[in-house]
Amino acid sequence: MSKNKESLIAWDPAWEDAVQQYKEEFRKAGMDWEGLGPHYPIGKETLYWKLQKDSLAGCSSSTYLYVREEEKRLLGMLNLRRGQTGESLARMGNIGFSIRPCEQGKGYAVRMLREAAPLSMMQGIIPWYMVCLADNEASRRVIARLGGRKQGETVWAAGEPAVEKYVVYDVFLIAFLYCPWYNE
């Protein structure tokens, strides 16, 4: 019996049906697939979410899918963002990620993000500035496993939950020392 292998691939329209199923699983679980958590009901545009979207104006991004190709199964998604201002980095960070609800807690997020480090380096996105809701324990654990260092906490809009800000450098040292393209 062969062990399933997960890999990070660039966005590909051939995966669109899998992406729609992924989003639907989040909706059924009452979660937001873009990482905003249960505070943000699906379809409700909060002031914080509007501020986040507005802060991305003029930025470019690359979306990647974390897949188990043998099964054509989408496990997670991540987005690398370039060209942000200081305010945009503070609000959104330069990387975002999500793992399908039924696959959470299995270590996929850390593996996916470690695999993304060389791609990020090649795009000049070093270090990572990451944000998460202050009560999102799972995201905080992932960021800590990547070597994230807390830079502060902010409430961007009245009535909105606190957002923690982190900077991550350590994952790049690991990528530099162990990535395949470096060791060839």
Side-chain angles (χ1 to χ4, degrees):
M1 184 164 92
S2 68
K3 182 175 165 79
N4 287 320
K5 178 163 175 20
E6 298 82 27
S7 59
L8 196 61
I9 62 172
W11 169 258
D12 183 334
W15 284 84
E16 185 57 36
D17 288 343
V19 169
Q20 294 309 316
Q21 292 170 5
Y22 181 85
K23 291 179 182 180
E24 180 63 15
E25 185 175 318
F26 275 90
R27 189 192 65 72
K28 285 180 178 177
M31 301 166 70
D32 185 282
W33 74 280
E34 293 177 308
L36 294 176
H39 296 288
Y40 296 90
I42 305 300
K44 178 183 178 193
E45 186 170 282
T46 65
L47 177 57
Y48 176 63
W49 182 234
K50 182 178 178 346
L51 290 170
Q52 285 183 313
K53 287 196 309 188
D54 290 349
S55 71
L56 288 176
C59 299
S60 61
S61 66
S62 301
T63 300
Y64 296 91
L65 309 175
Y66 194 60
V67 302
R68 188 175 302 132
E69 291 190 62
E70 288 178 7
E71 299 171 16
K72 289 288 189 197
R73 179 143 175 90
L74 176 58
L75 302 171
M77 296 177 68
L78 72 85
N79 190 267
L80 296 174
R81 300 182 275 269
R82 299 171 299 286
Q84 295 169 283
T85 65
E87 183 177 338
S88 175
L89 282 174
R91 288 189 192 281
M92 295 284 292
N94 55 10
I95 185 167
F97 68 95
S98 63
I99 296 293
R100 130 180 270 135
C102 69
E103 301 291 356
Q104 293 175 2
K106 299 177 182 178
Y108 290 127
V110 171
R111 291 196 302 270
M112 174 178 70
L113 289 161
R114 284 183 178 152
E115 192 172 328
L119 295 168
S120 183
M121 290 168 61
M122 288 187 284
Q123 294 179 41
I125 304 172
I126 303 171
W128 284 341
Y129 294 96
M130 300 179 84
V131 298
C132 72
L133 296 175
D135 66 353
N136 189 337
E137 183 62 34
S139 286
R140 287 196 343 248
R141 280 194 312 268
V142 167
I143 293 168
R145 287 192 58 202
L146 297 170
R149 293 171 179 83
K150 188 174 178 181
Q151 301 296 299
E153 189 171 300
T154 303
V155 174
W156 290 107
E160 300 287 339
V163 175
E164 294 179 348
K165 299 180 282 184
Y166 294 84
V167 64
V168 178
Y169 291 99
D170 296 2
V171 72
F172 296 102
L173 177 59
I174 293 166
F176 185 72
L177 293 174
Y178 300 105
C179 72
W181 55 263
Y182 175 74
N183 292 314
E184 289 179 351

